[in-house]
Amino acid sequence: MAALAGQRTFLELQNAVGVILFNQTALATTTNPTLAQVKEKINEYYRNIFQKQPWKWAYSSSTFVTVAGTKLVTMADNVQKIWALEIQGNNGYIQYVPNNKFYRANPGGWTTMGNGQPYIYTDAPPASNNAMQIDLFPAPDAVYTVYFQFQKRLTSLSADGDYSIIPPEYENALVYGAAKDLLALLADNRASYYETEYKKIMSDMWMNEERNLDYQDTDMEQNAGGNQWPGVIRPYTV
């Protein structure tokens, strides 16, 4: 993803933890805690924060274009879960139906109806690269531009130049979370200080989300099956 102003790379996050642990940025690869442990701890907190609640920065929206006569749609790699689909230009809502319920209602599958404007989407096996795929019903009879809202897929930080999707004002949660655990491993009494700092950041992030959360479903959300769309309060982009 594109970096936001002030956002740090994975290497810079590692170095920030190194400053706390050893008052230097050159983390050792063999001594305890190792560089590998620092990387894993940062990713552990990245996963934990991502799973805490539906943060608005973890959601986005985009479009895809259908292919006439083709029911299968392969989503972008960063799509974890779809929340709502709408055909642009005619308010054509496409509602999710689980695969088992779809075939229960349509035993013949796509043989029961000719191509047309899709109004249902259901699960399809993932692509070879594990990207999410869906089937549209009926198969499109024309080219449609479909707007959709989605939850981003969390990809672990790996390369030194990787960026997280956490807004830069909250990135210290990754640094302080990793630092407090590794300091505790060293029996360093600074661990309690960084645990307090970590909790402060998490509290601030949660409070900011709650102040800006819109609890009202839009018409599109209701037609898409009532899934709550958290909304976006800042222009975080993929």
Side-chain angles (χ1 to χ4, degrees):
M1 62 165 282
L4 299 171
Q7 198 157 29
R8 287 172 286 179
T9 65
F10 187 28
L11 178 60
E12 289 171 323
L13 294 173
Q14 296 167 48
N15 287 342
V17 176
V19 168
I20 294 172
L21 295 179
F22 307 116
N23 197 26
Q24 60 184 23
T25 58
L27 291 171
T29 57
T30 55
T31 58
N32 192 28
T34 65
L35 177 58
Q37 286 176 305
V38 171
K39 289 181 175 181
E40 175 52 36
K41 274 296 175 184
I42 291 173
N43 272 302
E44 178 184 323
Y45 277 90
Y46 190 25
R47 291 188 296 270
N48 289 347
I49 292 169
F50 193 83
Q51 295 165 2
K52 285 286 185 183
Q53 74 170 57
W55 307 107
K56 286 179 281 295
W57 44 260
Y59 293 79
S60 190
S61 61
S62 188
T63 61
F64 64 82
V65 177
T66 65
V67 176
T70 301
K71 64 185 176 76
L72 183 66
V73 177
T74 302
M75 311 306 293
D77 290 347
N78 66 325
V79 176
Q80 175 69 36
K81 182 178 181 180
I82 295 173
W83 290 85
L85 275 73
E86 179 186 5
I87 296 176
Q88 290 189 331
N90 65 1
N91 294 322
Y93 301 112
I94 305 178
Q95 184 172 359
Y96 171 68
V97 177
N99 203 263
N100 60 333
K101 292 185 177 180
F102 171 78
Y103 279 104
R104 196 180 307 147
N106 302 276
W110 279 258
T111 63
T112 62
M113 182 180 292
N115 296 349
Q117 179 175 308
Y119 60 90
I120 286 174
Y121 74 95
T122 191
D123 312 290
S128 57
N129 65 349
N130 205 37
M132 179 183 182
Q133 297 192 126
I134 61 172
D135 282 328
L136 300 175
F137 181 82
D141 62 345
V143 174
Y144 297 98
T145 299
V146 181
Y147 170 84
F148 67 100
Q149 301 166 337
F150 67 96
Q151 179 182 0
K152 297 176 185 177
R153 183 190 301 275
L154 178 68
T155 302
S156 293
L157 302 173
S158 177
D160 284 344
D162 285 351
Y163 290 95
S164 80
I165 63 172
I166 297 177
E169 59 265 38
Y170 302 127
E171 276 189 321
N172 271 338
L174 301 177
V175 175
Y176 295 160
K180 73 181 181 66
D181 285 2
L182 295 171
L183 288 169
L185 182 67
L186 297 170
D188 189 314
N189 60 15
R190 291 179 297 161
S192 60
Y193 169 80
Y194 285 103
E195 180 171 10
T196 299
E197 293 302 302
Y198 169 76
K199 289 179 178 178
K200 284 180 183 177
I201 293 176
M202 291 302 297
S203 177
D204 288 346
M205 183 159 57
W206 184 84
M207 290 298 293
N208 184 60
E209 295 284 300
E210 290 300 301
R211 282 194 300 267
N212 292 282
L213 191 60
D214 177 10
Y215 289 98
Q216 300 302 313
D217 286 352
T218 64
D219 289 342
M220 185 170 76
E221 291 151 8
Q222 292 166 359
N223 282 277
N227 288 323
Q228 178 70 29
W229 167 243
V232 177
I233 58 171
R234 289 182 52 181
Y236 296 121
T237 55
V238 180

